[in-house]
Amino acid sequence: MTTRLHAVLPNESTDVEPLHIVSLARMAEELGFDMVWLPDHLLPPRPYGTTYGGVYEPLVTMAAIAAATSRIRFGTSVLVLPLRDPFLLAKQVSTLERLAPGRLTLGVGTGWDATEFAAIGADFGNRGAHTDEALRLIRHLHEHGRGPFGGEYYGFDVGEFAPRPSSPVPIMVGGTSPAALRRVARYADVWQGVGLDATAFRARVDQIRASTDRSVEVGTRLEMPEGASAARVVEQAHALAEAGADHIAVWFGSVDGCADRMAELNARWAGV
């Protein structure tokens, strides 16, 4: 399989109009990127910085991207699942899939900052168990459309869930921890790592392959913020491709100069 190039959009840049983020998605489609990803936070403790801050809500933003594009796929990288109501999330995801059939991936993680959980009254200590059960509930609603579903945290006996997706929505699980890799093996269609060189990436892929017989797409994220070398990023991407990466998702930093960096990387990746 040819390794596909993805872009992580700068929807942390909430000082610009959200339609600018949509225009970057349209540009990514025109350049030939296979997919765009949007990060997520609900109530972070501080403004946007190099690693953290507020974002435009990704599912709403993806609805605008779906309307403005025709081919490119999109997903969350990653949505902090234990901060969300899984019933509402299942409905949002199925509706978005019906608006753009076959183009949506739900990428999830457990979160990492206890401060954000405390701010909205969410359970930080049991976030992994909440995430696992929420994934099972979302799959149940999408596949069956009715109850019963019984769990420790979520459950219902009677209720009609509609619309159901026209086709299954792929689940991406992000992260590199042992718990994240176990979650990939149980639930995911796609895995996305972060901060991995080719050797570390290959080791995680071997763990996933040894833990499940299901087909799981494997990829990872690289960074190309302002001042980074496109040649160096392409060199890293090729090493990861040789290590078996199905996709490489590149974060381009803040919105300033993002379009230029996307174009430069794409040209180098294509060998132009």
Side-chain angles (χ1 to χ4, degrees):
M1 178 183 293
T2 301
T3 303
R4 298 178 295 275
L5 189 64
H6 297 178
V8 181
L9 297 180
N11 69 320
E12 307 102 330
S13 300
T14 55
D15 53 339
V16 303
E17 291 299 318
L19 287 178
H20 188 76
I21 309 301
V22 175
S23 72
L24 288 172
R26 191 163 52 242
M27 175 185 172
E29 179 173 76
E30 293 168 354
L31 287 171
F33 282 84
D34 177 66
M35 189 166 187
V36 293
W37 297 95
L38 290 86
D40 171 62
H41 281 291
L42 288 183
L43 201 62
R46 54 187 178 275
Y48 174 69
T50 55
T51 60
Y52 206 33
V55 300
Y56 284 114
E57 204 290 318
L59 297 171
V60 174
T61 307
M62 288 191 295
I65 290 171
T69 59
S70 61
R71 175 197 60 81
I72 200 164
R73 299 184 298 131
F74 41 80
T76 47
S77 179
V78 289
L79 184 139
V80 187
L81 183 52
L83 297 183
R84 302 282 183 140
D85 179 326
F87 289 95
L88 175 58
L89 178 60
K91 177 63 68 75
Q92 292 169 315
V93 168
S94 61
T95 300
L96 186 50
E97 194 282 332
R98 295 287 287 267
L99 288 167
R103 296 170 62 194
L104 171 64
T105 295
L106 175 61
V108 303
T110 60
W112 55 272
D113 192 336
T115 307
E116 186 173 19
F117 280 71
I120 67 167
D123 184 354
F124 182 75
N126 291 315
R127 67 194 188 279
H130 277 272
T131 297
D132 290 345
E133 192 167 299
L135 287 172
R136 292 196 298 272
L137 173 61
I138 292 168
R139 278 266 170 85
H140 176 90
L141 291 168
H142 285 181
E143 291 176 5
H144 302 289
R146 56 175 57 88
F149 178 90
E152 183 177 354
Y153 305 106
Y154 313 108
F156 71 106
D157 293 321
V158 177
E160 188 73 17
F161 181 87
R164 289 161 61 192
S166 58
S167 61
V169 176
I171 299 294
M172 183 272 275
V173 170
T176 59
S177 69
L181 297 182
R182 287 193 295 270
R183 189 166 293 111
V184 171
R186 291 174 188 153
Y187 305 112
D189 305 292
V190 184
W191 169 65
Q192 192 176 95
V194 63
L196 301 173
D197 62 17
T199 300
F201 175 81
R202 183 70 258 177
R204 301 310 199 284
V205 171
D206 288 343
Q207 291 178 51
I208 293 169
R209 302 294 189 221
S211 301
T212 182
D213 294 329
R214 295 184 303 102
S215 176
V216 177
E217 176 185 324
V218 295
T220 193
R221 286 175 56 155
L222 293 175
E223 297 185 356
M224 185 180 162
E226 183 178 3
S229 165
R232 174 58 180 155
V233 173
V234 168
E235 179 183 341
Q236 293 173 314
H238 281 308
L240 288 161
E242 291 178 3
D246 297 316
H247 76 260
I248 305 291
V250 182
W251 178 74
F252 292 96
S254 69
V255 70
D256 296 332
C258 179
D260 292 337
R261 292 190 292 278
M262 286 172 55
E264 181 183 6
L265 181 67
N266 183 71
R268 285 183 175 271
W269 177 256
V272 177

